[in-house]
Amino acid sequence: MNGFKKNGFAILNDFYSPQEVSEMVLAIENAMSNRPTFRRSNDLFAIRQVLKEIPQLIKLVLDEKLKKLITATFGENYFVSKSIYFDKPGNSNWFVAYHQDLTISVRDKVLTNGFGPYTKKQDQFAVQPPVAFLEKNFTVRIHLDHTDESNGALRVIPASHLAGIRRMEQVDNMSTEQFCCVNEGGIMLMHPLLFHASGKSTAAQSRRVLHIEFSNQELPAGLHWSERINYQ
């Protein structure tokens, strides 16, 4: 996985079998709800804290293969710090401009040196931590559909995570932009400081993704992760 350290992302296709993907999809479909963490529009269906809302997903997602990969690539003592399910329907106009993932999810708003500013979405607090926190975190994106340029595959700027927190206009290697096409059952590992974006969908094919963030760091006194799952 040297490519991850250099480029800020890596793609592993055929990580989950078709049967495993089907079981994940079935668990999500059976849990569709009107709770505050479930957000639905014509262009997007999302579930925040999806592993808490649908706990049967935990054993399906955090299987021995993924645990071994995480340990071999990043080391011990990691835990889930955030999970979201995204369903981008076919022909969706929803898009996300280039950005870095600069916040973590916490239970309450607590004024803490080095942490801020805060935001709040659907009763969920998010705060920007010191950059040292972000540099050790990573994300696993599990693709439940084949994803390519036509249905909103991520675009990334390889190695853009190496210079810390920046504004988009400070990125000088835009010519290296790459589409991250991932097969159904494949996963994408991503550094939070990697600049990434997602375009509108031009095909009828949905793009369903489980976005799982991991950390190995304890928060200062008074702050608590809003969604911590110790799986090891």
Side-chain angles (χ1 to χ4, degrees), residues 111-170:
L111 297 181
T112 305
N113 188 39
F115 288 74
Y118 276 87
T119 59
K120 187 178 183 181
K121 293 182 180 179
Q122 296 174 291
D123 297 325
Q124 172 70 70
F125 285 106
V127 65
Q128 183 171 323
V131 68
F133 269 72
L134 299 173
E135 287 174 342
K136 294 180 180 179
N137 293 352
F138 66 91
T139 297
V140 176
R141 291 171 58 89
I142 301 165
H143 286 249
L144 306 180
D145 297 295
H146 174 75
T147 306
D148 56 29
E149 298 178 32
S150 69
N151 64 340
L154 285 189
R155 306 191 312 276
V156 302
I157 308 300
S160 58
H161 66 301
L162 296 174
I165 298 173
R166 292 182 289 170
R167 296 188 301 274
M168 188 59 205
E169 56 266 29
Q170 296 174 303

Side-chain angles (χ1 to χ4, degrees), residues 187-206:
I187 66 172
M188 177 178 175
L189 306 181
M190 187 173 72
H191 195 286
L193 296 180
L194 180 76
F195 273 91
H196 57 286
S198 173
K200 298 177 182 179
S201 179
T202 60
Q205 174 66 42
S206 292

